Amino acid sequence: GLIHEQGRPPSLHALWRPLNFLTASFLTTELPLMVVKVVFLCSTVGGGGAMSEFQQGLLTTSTVLQCLKLIYTLRVTYVGKRITTILLAFFSGAICEMMFIVSLAFSAVNLAFSIVKRNSSWSMLYLYKGLLF
């Protein structure tokens, strides 16, 4: 079972193979977060003033990715299992189909308004606000 053919646990044997660390969870949670943090740190070198919009976007992206990592880590606890259940229900086939149909209808209405009123670039924002409220 857990003992490798040479009598060592597989976890110690895996330390000598760096490719064993490139798991799906590492590639989906850790790697994007590290890349965003490195780009953010590199963009702040030499800048003593206020943050630029790009830096604010990187900081926001880093915060969102850190929250997603926390949610992914909580999946093994009782509260996390309930969150995961809600997320799985939200991304189920029927919900995705409904969101696809609504986005197609919204795109069609937006295209129709864009054709009628050519000089307005904010029509999509107004239509989205009308859809929500």
Side-chain angles (χ1 to χ4, degrees):
L2 293 177
I3 303 298
H4 201 262
E5 65 269 358
Q6 297 166 344
R8 292 183 297 229
S11 60
L12 294 178
H13 188 65
L15 288 175
W16 298 102
R17 294 191 179 149
L19 290 178
N20 287 341
F21 293 105
L22 295 178
T23 61
S25 65
F26 176 79
L27 292 175
T28 57
T29 58
E30 296 289 333
L31 191 63
L33 183 61
M34 283 191 264
V35 168
V36 169
K37 285 181 179 180
V38 166
V39 171
F40 176 71
L41 287 176
C42 290
S43 70
T44 58
V45 173
M51 286 193 302
S52 66
E53 288 186 19
F54 178 71
Q55 290 171 336
Q56 289 176 358
L58 286 173
L59 189 61
T60 303
T61 304
S62 175
T63 304
V64 168
L65 288 174
Q66 188 70 38
C67 290
L68 290 175
K69 179 183 166 190
L70 177 68
I71 291 171
Y72 184 75
T73 305
L74 285 175
R75 75 188 188 283
V76 295
T77 64
Y78 176 72
V79 175
K81 287 180 184 178
R82 292 190 337 190
I83 292 172
T84 306
T85 304
I86 292 169
L87 286 175
L88 290 176
F90 184 72
F91 291 114
S92 68
I95 299 292
C96 288
E97 289 173 4
M98 286 190 296
M99 291 297 287
F100 180 71
I101 291 171
V102 167
S103 64
L104 283 178
F106 179 72
S107 298
V109 170
N110 185 33
L111 181 63
F113 274 100
S114 298
I115 291 171
V116 170
K117 194 168 185 176
R118 293 178 190 223
N119 59 358
S120 176
S121 62
W122 296 99
S123 65
M124 187 170 181
L125 178 65
Y126 294 133
L127 289 173
Y128 182 71
K129 284 171 53 177
L131 179 70
L132 287 179
F133 303 110

